[in-house]
Amino acid sequence: MKASVRLYGKLLGKESKAEEITAGMDRSVGSLKKPASKPKTLIVYGAPGSFVVALPTSYPGSFLELAGGENVASKFPKMDTMPQYAELSMERIVASNPELILLITHGDAAEVKAGFKKQFEGNAAWKSLPAVKNDRFEVLPQDLFAANPGIRAPKAIETINNLLLQVD
């Protein structure tokens, strides 16, 4: 994202403004208090019936690491069609034992969370996870996560960081 800001700054003859923006992004992320432990976190993207899991190479996956979390999907095999994501595999998820599950989807956040809660609690595999047992699953804001947030990336990272600190 910072490279894109610098490119646009160069194209528009606003290199100093672009550097000011990227420096501000660095300051925002650098000032975050990181959790003492790296909470094991799973990021699920999609809608009921069609889910994928964010890998560290995706923007939400990289945001998770910058926020101080551990992406439990880091070793999951990438998808051929979407290499920044992996297929949702209950066996791998149960084995990775996430403490926090972050959901990215379109729709009303309260309705989405209620739907996931019902699905999680009705499935023995999901119910066994610490994240579900401790009610630690959250729908991330659409405006920051349903599409690339651009220069609002620090706000997205801060959002994840705040959730990680609640687990720590």
Side-chain angles (χ1 to χ4, degrees), residues 5-132:
V5 169
R6 287 185 183 106
L7 174 64
Y8 285 115
K10 186 173 184 171
L11 292 171
L12 298 170
K14 303 277 187 181
E15 288 96 339
S16 62
K17 181 65 175 172
E19 287 306 317
E20 180 184 317
I21 291 169
T22 58
M25 293 169 78
D26 288 340
R27 277 192 305 278
S28 292
V29 174
S31 70
L32 295 175
K33 178 186 175 207
K34 301 290 171 65
S37 65
K38 289 185 159 200
K40 294 176 6 179
T41 306
L42 175 72
I43 302 175
V44 178
Y45 182 68
S50 177
F51 298 110
V52 292
V53 176
L55 298 175
T57 54
S58 68
Y59 72 87
S62 66
F63 292 173
L64 171 61
E65 292 183 348
L66 289 168
E70 176 188 340
N71 189 333
V72 298
S74 64
K75 303 266 192 273
F76 289 16
K78 65 183 179 182
M79 297 171 61
D80 290 335
T81 55
M82 296 182 359
Q84 295 84 10
Y85 294 88
E87 291 182 11
L88 189 137
S89 161
M90 279 312 301
E91 291 149 0
R92 287 189 191 103
I93 292 169
V94 169
S96 66
N97 212 27
E99 300 167 90
L100 175 65
I101 299 172
L102 302 176
L103 309 164
I104 302 171
T105 188
H106 297 279
D108 178 81
E111 287 179 23
V112 169
K113 184 171 181 176
F116 274 102
K117 183 175 177 84
K118 185 177 179 181
Q119 184 174 352
F120 288 163
E121 292 174 347
N123 179 301
W126 282 115
K127 277 197 321 191
S128 71
L129 301 175
V132 175

Side-chain angles (χ1 to χ4, degrees), residues 59 63 140-150 152-153 155-157 159:
Y59 72 87
F63 292 173
L140 294 170
Q142 286 182 55
D143 64 324
L144 295 175
F145 292 94
N148 186 324
R152 295 176 303 139
K155 180 67 176 163
I157 296 164
T159 299

